[in-house]
Amino acid sequence: MNHSPLFLGLDSSTQSLKACAIDADLNVTAEFTVNFDADLPQYKTQGGVHRGPDGLSVTSPPQLWVAALDLLLQRMKEARFPFASVVAISGSGQQHGSVYFKQGTHTTLGALTPAQPLLPQLDNSFAVAASPIWMDSSTTAQCRALETALGGPQAVAELTGSRAYERFTGNQIAKIFQTQRAGYDATERIALVSSFVASLLIGDYAPIDVSDGSGMNLMDVRRKQWSQKALDLTAPGLAAKLGPVAPSHTVAGTIHAHFIGRYGFNPACQVILFSGDNPCSLAGLRLQKPGDVAISLGTSDTLFGTLHDPKPSASEGHIFAGPTDPDGYMAMIVYKNGSLTREDVRDRAAAGSWEEFTAAMDRTPVGNHGQIGFFIKEPEITPPILKTGIQRFGMDGKAVPSFTPDAEVRAVVEGQFLSMRLHSNNIGLQPKSILATGGASVNTCILRVMSDVFGVPVFTATKPNSAALGAAYRALHGWTCATRESFTAFADVMKKAPAFILTMEPDAKAHAVYTAMLTRYAALEQRVMASM
Ligand code: 5FX
């Protein structure tokens, strides 16, 4: 080896395939990207996907993901990337998407030759032509059937970590069994996007890791094993088609001869199980102790964090097995009403200007004189509210038609963080510090409210490619555990990572105001849900 050891993270996301290499000191040494629409236009995807005529089905051709891996590695080779120095690879995949390997593909994978790219060798290996992905919402019937059979949404959440969701893979598999029976029967192995890419790299079927496996409504999230009951309710013979689930730091195998011969990988290079993009982002943001929470303020707002005592809930969020701690869990809550909703209020009440928005926040008191608003511009996920609209309440709890523009601005920000505090506590998260990321995290008046509502310090991090970086960190973690032949805490391998920036500390008085407000917020939310 000419270089110090490298750890490679791949991120097969909805729109692109990225690679991020780090050295043992956690410095990023190289990054590469293949954009599906622009670089592989022959697949005619838009944003990496095909939308069905029903408006509900969303799929991608699995060949696209294979072609992307060929192209990415080719680009890395042309850039003289030192493949021989890579001692471990791991990866991230968009969650929930599924790939159906045809009977006989196990043999094909083992026999991959370096003489050709992967695609011509695997073109004919898929029993289901179109892989359903996380944007698909065509499985409501399968979700309701699972919930009915298992005793209701809360029972499904208790067992699998989430109530039945349309995009969750078990419900997608049930639909494939019901509507594409020949394809299901011809399937030798069902992979998630994550385990699919890992399988290509080892030339063998890689297990699904417990963290991404939690996004299927098929795994007993506490035992971290498939639930035979859920499998039986989904499709016959499913256990054999899924193979095992395994802890995320497990070594899947060593890199296949295809990659050694074609690109010059080191034959000893280990492939660590791939995981989902959200679990990998959790690793990339180095959340590891219970109470470490990240809030990404983007088009949709996402809150996730680590915990030891999860409280799965039918009305909010997801519990996944932890991607870095085999005994731990991660919780994730997604809000559809994120930046677009804040921007809507900015445009209506603050002349379209963030400066004016900040000035309105400065002119209004913490707690907004008891005024509380619910801004449902998009059908909301947390809590589930399908009907859109804005509901405003005065201090006396009576509905009011409008707030002053300044109060409107404060109400949207306070309402969003009160909701996050309420629902994160409901599923067992007890934030002790928050890492804020995403576009709106540059806005300090928003971070002020975040810190005061939760009563914890807020750190900031730019989040470029956190899933790919997290995958590279996980490669280092899995490799360290394998090399030492004993589990090593993720924190131990992250010691050299740069510190995050402390941006906001909570104000005790403001926090007390929000704590008092939370009870009223929760009661009003019940009213809003009942009325919509
Ligand atoms: C998580 O449950 C999701 O559906 C998305 O965040 C996908 O993982 C995006 F890839």
Side-chain angles (χ1 to χ4, degrees):
M1 263 191 308
N2 303 326
H3 298 73
S4 63
L6 296 179
F7 302 86
L8 189 62
L10 301 181
D11 173 22
S12 183
S13 73
T14 316
Q15 308 202 18
S16 63
L17 177 66
K18 296 195 179 103
C20 169
I22 58 166
D23 62 21
D25 292 330
L26 309 181
N27 302 305
V28 174
T29 63
E31 289 181 294
F32 297 87
T33 304
V34 167
N35 179 283
F36 297 154
D37 295 357
D39 293 323
L40 296 161
Q42 62 272 36
Y43 292 99
K44 298 187 168 53
T45 52
Q46 284 188 329
V49 308
H50 294 149
R51 287 170 194 274
D54 59 359
L56 299 173
S57 309
V58 185
T59 61
S60 297
Q63 287 88 347
L64 164 68
W65 299 326
V66 180
L69 183 58
D70 282 333
L71 182 58
L72 183 82
L73 293 172
Q74 188 57 36
R75 283 188 177 166
M76 292 169 75
K77 186 173 171 178
E78 282 160 14
R80 305 181 146 269
F81 177 77
F83 288 106
S85 302
V86 177
V87 296
I89 309 181
S90 188
S92 160
Q94 53 171 310
Q95 292 202 258
H96 318 296
S98 47
V99 178
Y100 300 77
F101 284 116
K102 206 184 256 179
Q103 300 286 348
T105 304
H106 187 242
T107 311
T108 312
L109 283 172
L112 290 170
T113 159
Q116 281 189 309
L118 294 169
L119 184 63
Q121 304 185 64
L122 289 165
D123 208 4
N124 201 19
S125 296
F126 303 102
V128 172
S131 284
I133 65 142
W134 65 277
M135 293 160 82
D136 186 289
S137 53
S138 66
T139 65
T140 302
Q142 288 75 17
C143 290
R144 293 298 83 79
L146 183 73
E147 289 180 345
T148 304
L150 284 175
Q154 185 60 31
V156 179
E158 293 290 349
L159 178 67
T160 70
S162 305
R163 72 166 162 83
Y165 282 94
E166 278 75 358
R167 66 190 192 285
F168 275 43
T169 323
N171 310 306
Q172 296 291 340
I173 295 171
K175 181 183 159 205
I176 290 204
F177 170 68
Q178 290 159 23
T179 61
Q180 300 188 58
R181 182 65 196 264
Y184 182 80
D185 289 343
T187 297
E188 182 171 77
R189 177 61 69 107
I190 302 174
L192 294 179
V193 175
S194 56
S195 63
F196 167 66
V197 182
S199 299
L200 301 180
L201 292 174
I202 60 172
D204 191 357
Y205 290 140
I208 289 173
D209 85 296
V210 289
S211 199
D212 209 12
S214 309
M216 301 173 82
N217 282 141
L218 293 178
M219 203 184 84
D220 179 330
V221 74
R222 292 186 194 274
R223 285 180 42 245
K224 302 181 181 175
Q225 292 294 335
W226 299 127
S227 154
Q228 193 56 48
K229 226 172 168 184
L231 297 188
D232 289 345
L233 289 166
T234 300
L238 191 49
K241 290 189 199 285
L242 288 174
V245 271
S248 310
H249 64 278
T250 306
V251 177
T254 47
I255 191 111
H256 186 268
H258 169 87
F259 302 93
I260 301 165
R262 200 168 169 86
Y263 303 104
F265 271 100
N266 179 343
C269 173
Q270 291 179 336
V271 178
I272 310 302
L273 291 192
F274 280 38
S275 188
D277 57 338
N278 294 297
C280 286
S281 287
L282 182 115
L285 295 172
R286 293 180 262 128
L287 307 184
Q288 41 214 311
K289 296 185 302 300
D292 285 354
V293 163
I295 297 179
S296 165
L297 299 170
T299 310
S300 54
D301 289 346
T302 305
L303 179 152
F304 55 71
T306 40
L307 72 175
H308 270 139
D309 185 17
K311 299 191 174 71
S313 158
S315 56
E316 62 247 303
H318 309 292
I319 300 293
F320 298 149
T324 52
D325 173 1
D327 297 324
Y329 297 88
M330 76 174 269
M332 179 172 88
I333 302 180
V334 181
Y335 288 88
K336 259 213 181 137
N337 287 280
S339 285
L340 296 181
T341 302
R342 288 184 287 273
E343 284 162 20
D344 179 58
V345 173
R346 177 202 63 190
D347 294 347
R348 288 189 294 100
S353 140
W354 284 121
E355 285 74 35
E356 181 50 29
F357 190 96
T358 304
M361 292 295 286
D362 290 343
R363 287 192 291 262
T364 43
V366 167
N368 215 6
H369 298 298
Q371 300 169 104
I372 292 179
F374 294 82
F375 297 78
I376 317 290
K377 192 172 153 50
E378 299 280 334
E380 185 49 75
I381 299 174
T382 312
I385 301 177
L386 294 180
K387 200 162 151 242
T388 55
I390 302 175
Q391 295 210 29
R392 303 175 183 85
F393 299 91
M395 195 166 65
D396 54 5
K398 290 215 175 88
V400 294
S402 61
F403 291 151
T404 64
D406 285 1
E408 183 90 340
V409 166
R410 184 165 275 281
V412 71
V413 179
E414 291 187 341
Q416 288 182 332
F417 291 116
L418 285 166
S419 176
M420 287 188 198
R421 180 168 161 195
L422 174 69
H423 294 289
S424 60
N425 287 350
N426 283 354
I427 56 171
L429 275 176
Q430 302 283 338
K432 294 203 176 75
S433 74
I434 297 173
L435 190 55
T437 72
S441 67
V442 295
N443 196 328
T444 46
C445 75
I446 292 179
L447 299 188
R448 170 87 267 148
V449 178
M450 183 191 284
S451 181
D452 289 343
V453 167
F454 283 93
V456 301
V458 169
F459 295 78
T460 45
T462 48
K463 201 185 113 190
N465 304 339
S466 68
L469 179 64
Y473 286 168
R474 290 186 47 257
L476 168 64
H477 182 227
W479 177 84
T480 306
C481 296
T483 308
R484 294 186 186 164
E485 292 182 12
S486 74
F487 182 78
T488 304
F490 186 71
D492 281 358
V493 299
M494 287 294 116
K495 284 191 175 137
K496 291 185 178 158
F500 294 118
I501 304 156
L502 176 61
T503 310
M504 204 61 78
E505 297 226 59
D507 177 278
K509 271 197 198 136
H511 180 56
V513 171
Y514 288 128
T515 300
M517 208 168 167
L518 197 62
T519 320
R520 288 184 55 232
Y521 181 88
L524 288 173
E525 188 189 83
Q526 289 299 323
R527 270 171 64 188
V528 169
M529 285 177 74
S531 73
M532 292 249 190

